[in-house]
Amino acid sequence: MASPVPSPKFILRGHKAAVHAATFIRQNERLVTGDSEGFVVLWDLTVMRPRAVWRAHENAILGVRGWGEDKLITSFLGSMARSHCRRHGRDHKLIVWKIARGDESGLSTVLPLDGVDVERRRPWVVHLLEVNTMNFCSFAACPLEDSQYSPFLGTSPEILVAVPNTLASESVDIYTLPSQTRAYTVQPGPKNGMAMSLSLTHLEKRLTLVAAFENGYASVHRLTPEGSWVTTYRTQAHSQPILSLDLRPDLKCFFTSGADAIVAKHPIPTAPQEVAKPFNPSERVIEEIDEDPKQNSSLLSSTSKPGYAKEKDHDAVLEEWKHPRKVTNTKHSGQQSLEVRSDGAIFATAGWDSKIRLYSCKSLKELAVLKWHKDGAYAVTFSDVGPETSQTVDTDREAQVGCEVQQADDAIDVSRLSVQDRRIHRVKAAHWVAAGAKDGKVSLWDMY
């Protein structure tokens, strides 16, 4: 029998403008969505209703991310970037909001669809960082101290935030919060074009930046003990600008998607590779051999004569790795908002053709196509299903495409829970995929 066609469990209606960003917070109890007019909606998934609505920015929101249990980070595309004006760049703000569970009751629940001019109280602004407005790249963040990687920012009191450089959009600035000081500037190269997508993490106790660029290049940069940055990987798997990237949680690889139809899987090398130095005849180093053949018998061939000149071996040099692990032409151009699920089994993309696609992280094989939206899809995100385990669903099995996975309830006797607690348990256990599109609607799917 053919696999059933997947369909959304819920449709959340409330945004008037295109939904550009989405993320799950508080163990999947809340879904945060941001639109192109700067509105943020905090959805309570136990009742599928808004708990807080406010206008976080004046223009399109580029990214949202939870920080602990009581903070939310948003960034937006400044008005000058939208008009492609580059006179100066301090128009793009990254804001950290205080939005604890107890703060929700004092905030408006009037959705943007009910009017943009409605007075809505905003949460408390904890930090405000003015950064680059020249391009369309969102921020990346990780804890300040080395910790186990997670796609969900933990409760660390200090974090690092990576954003495009204020003056040179091909470079990347890394700030610390809450101090709001710039710690590093990484310069991947002047010919890359604008930075389009970033990821920041600690790998083997070294801060590591993964970046993707307008010219289709992706690169990995590692902080050395001396405080400098070294490039360990650089490749051009895409012929068009890369739109998004994300790391697999075990940090063994990362994935990219772009304006072309390519989806690529890349390694994350911890050091450059050693290669032979290219031979240059004009730089040959000649070693004169001693005229006494008895002292140089190991160096002379049978045709050698006294005074024979031998070329010295060239020293090896270090250079970045250049080859992706796998490149697939999906035949579907314009896939963005790529995100890997927390168990590292699958990743999703949002397509300009309005479809959400799920892929196997192992093989890059397309597993499912989620069709519901009529206009272009811009945002997709996964709920936290926990780390990878031996019981992770085998997503390479075609028979499982579109099927839902029932969660084991061995640890909790659901029948003994109250109605409210039962709803919370189901929301936390579901394998949600949330997608936002140009139509302003958010589709919620329970997949794999």
Side-chain angles (χ1 to χ4, degrees):
M1 294 180 63
S3 300
V5 177
S7 58
K9 287 288 186 182
F10 302 96
I11 300 297
L12 305 177
R13 295 174 171 86
H15 287 282
K16 184 180 179 180
V19 177
H20 278 210
T23 190
F24 288 88
I25 62 173
R26 298 185 199 153
Q27 293 79 51
N28 309 335
E29 286 189 51
R30 299 288 188 270
L31 172 67
V32 183
T33 54
D35 66 28
S36 60
E37 292 184 346
F39 281 96
V40 171
V41 179
L42 188 68
W43 302 93
D44 183 345
L45 297 187
T46 62
V47 293
M48 300 298 164
R49 295 289 186 271
R51 288 294 185 188
V53 181
W54 74 96
R55 193 166 195 175
H57 303 280
E58 294 300 319
N59 289 296
I61 291 179
L62 288 175
V64 293
R65 192 166 182 182
W67 178 6
E69 291 291 315
D70 62 346
K71 290 186 288 294
L72 181 72
I73 307 173
T74 64
S75 69
F76 90 112
L77 184 64
S79 58
M80 291 171 51
R82 290 168 63 86
S83 62
H84 301 282
C85 176
R86 299 194 178 194
R87 288 177 297 175
H88 56 85
R90 296 197 173 276
D91 184 308
H92 179 173
K93 295 178 175 63
L94 183 145
I95 300 178
V96 180
W97 308 88
K98 182 180 179 299
I99 184 69
R101 195 181 300 271
D103 299 325
E104 295 176 359
S105 60
L107 300 177
S108 174
T109 58
V110 180
L111 290 163
L113 199 59
D114 297 326
V116 296
D117 297 327
V118 177
E119 184 177 352
R120 298 176 178 88
R121 179 173 169 265
R122 305 204 304 177
W124 185 264
V125 175
V126 182
H127 309 293
L128 189 152
L129 192 63
E130 292 184 334
V131 290
N132 184 10
T133 187
M134 292 185 180
N135 59 11
F136 303 86
C137 179
S138 184
F139 65 94
C142 74
L144 178 63
E145 301 297 332
D146 185 15
S147 61
Q148 184 175 359
Y149 174 79
S150 170
F152 302 91
L153 201 58
T155 58
S156 174
E158 294 182 280
I159 63 172
L160 295 169
V161 176
V163 293
N165 180 267
T166 303
L167 299 178
S169 58
E170 69 274 4
S171 298
V172 178
D173 287 334
I174 300 177
Y175 292 86
T176 60
L177 288 177
S179 67
Q180 299 182 207
T181 59
R182 184 167 61 182
Y184 309 101
T185 295
V186 186
Q187 299 176 331
K191 297 181 180 180
N192 289 331
M194 296 186 295
M196 301 295 291
S197 186
L198 304 171
S199 188
L200 193 64
T201 188
H202 296 275
L203 176 59
E204 296 185 359
K205 299 183 178 181
R206 300 280 178 83
L207 187 61
T208 302
L209 172 72
V210 183
F213 298 92
E214 188 179 12
N215 65 351
Y217 272 87
S219 55
V220 176
H221 310 273
R222 302 256 291 162
L223 182 64
T224 67
E226 295 76 25
S228 61
W229 289 85
V230 60
T231 301
T232 63
Y233 177 75
R234 186 171 185 267
T235 194
Q236 188 180 26
H238 297 265
S239 61
Q240 297 292 325
I242 297 177
L243 300 178
S244 56
L245 70 85
D246 199 16
L247 311 183
R248 183 176 161 130
D250 60 10
L251 300 181
K252 292 182 179 179
C253 60
F254 71 97
F255 305 88
T256 57
S257 65
D260 53 15
I262 295 297
V263 169
K265 181 178 183 179
H266 309 265
I268 309 179
T270 57
Q273 61 180 332
E274 188 175 273
V275 297
K277 185 178 180 180
F279 176 71
N280 187 343
S282 65
E283 297 179 356
R284 288 190 303 173
V285 178
I286 304 298
E287 178 185 12
E288 291 291 339
I289 298 176
D290 193 290
E291 292 186 358
D292 184 357
K294 293 181 179 180
Q295 297 179 6
N296 300 280
S297 57
S298 62
L299 299 176
L300 296 173
S301 67
S302 59
T303 58
S304 298
K305 297 180 180 180
Y308 171 74
K310 177 179 179 292
E311 182 183 343
K312 281 188 174 181
D313 293 334
H314 289 268
D315 294 333
V317 296
L318 296 177
E319 67 176 27
E320 61 271 14
W321 295 80
K322 298 179 180 179
H323 301 293
R325 289 186 177 176
K326 190 175 182 63
V327 176
T328 297
N329 186 341
T330 66
K331 301 184 179 359
H332 306 290
S333 59
Q335 297 185 66
Q336 61 188 46
S337 189
L338 187 153
E339 184 170 311
V340 181
R341 198 168 66 177
S342 60
D343 63 355
I346 61 178
F347 68 89
T349 62
W352 291 349
D353 61 359
S354 79
K355 298 177 178 62
I356 304 300
R357 291 180 169 84
L358 304 184
Y359 295 91
S360 164
C361 285
K362 181 179 179 181
S363 64
L364 299 190
K365 181 179 179 181
E366 185 180 281
L367 302 174
V369 180
L370 310 184
K371 305 176 184 179
W372 186 85
H373 297 279
K374 303 302 181 184
D375 298 312
Y378 297 147
V380 64
T381 188
F382 286 107
S383 62
D384 185 359
V385 301
E388 183 176 11
T389 67
S390 59
Q391 296 180 348
T392 297
V393 177
D394 181 5
T395 54
D396 285 332
R397 291 174 55 190
E398 292 186 21
Q400 291 177 329
V401 172
C403 297
E404 301 167 11
V405 176
Q406 299 297 324
Q407 301 299 306
D409 294 324
D410 297 337
I412 299 176
D413 187 354
V414 179
S415 64
R416 293 179 177 271
L417 298 177
S418 66
V419 174
Q420 177 65 15
D421 289 340
R422 197 176 303 170
R423 287 176 178 173
I424 294 174
H425 172 72
R426 288 175 179 172
V427 163
K428 288 185 175 182
H431 287 196
W432 294 122
V433 179
K438 186 178 180 180
D439 56 15
K441 299 178 179 65
V442 179
S443 57
L444 204 58
W445 313 69
D446 188 359
M447 298 292 298
Y448 295 117

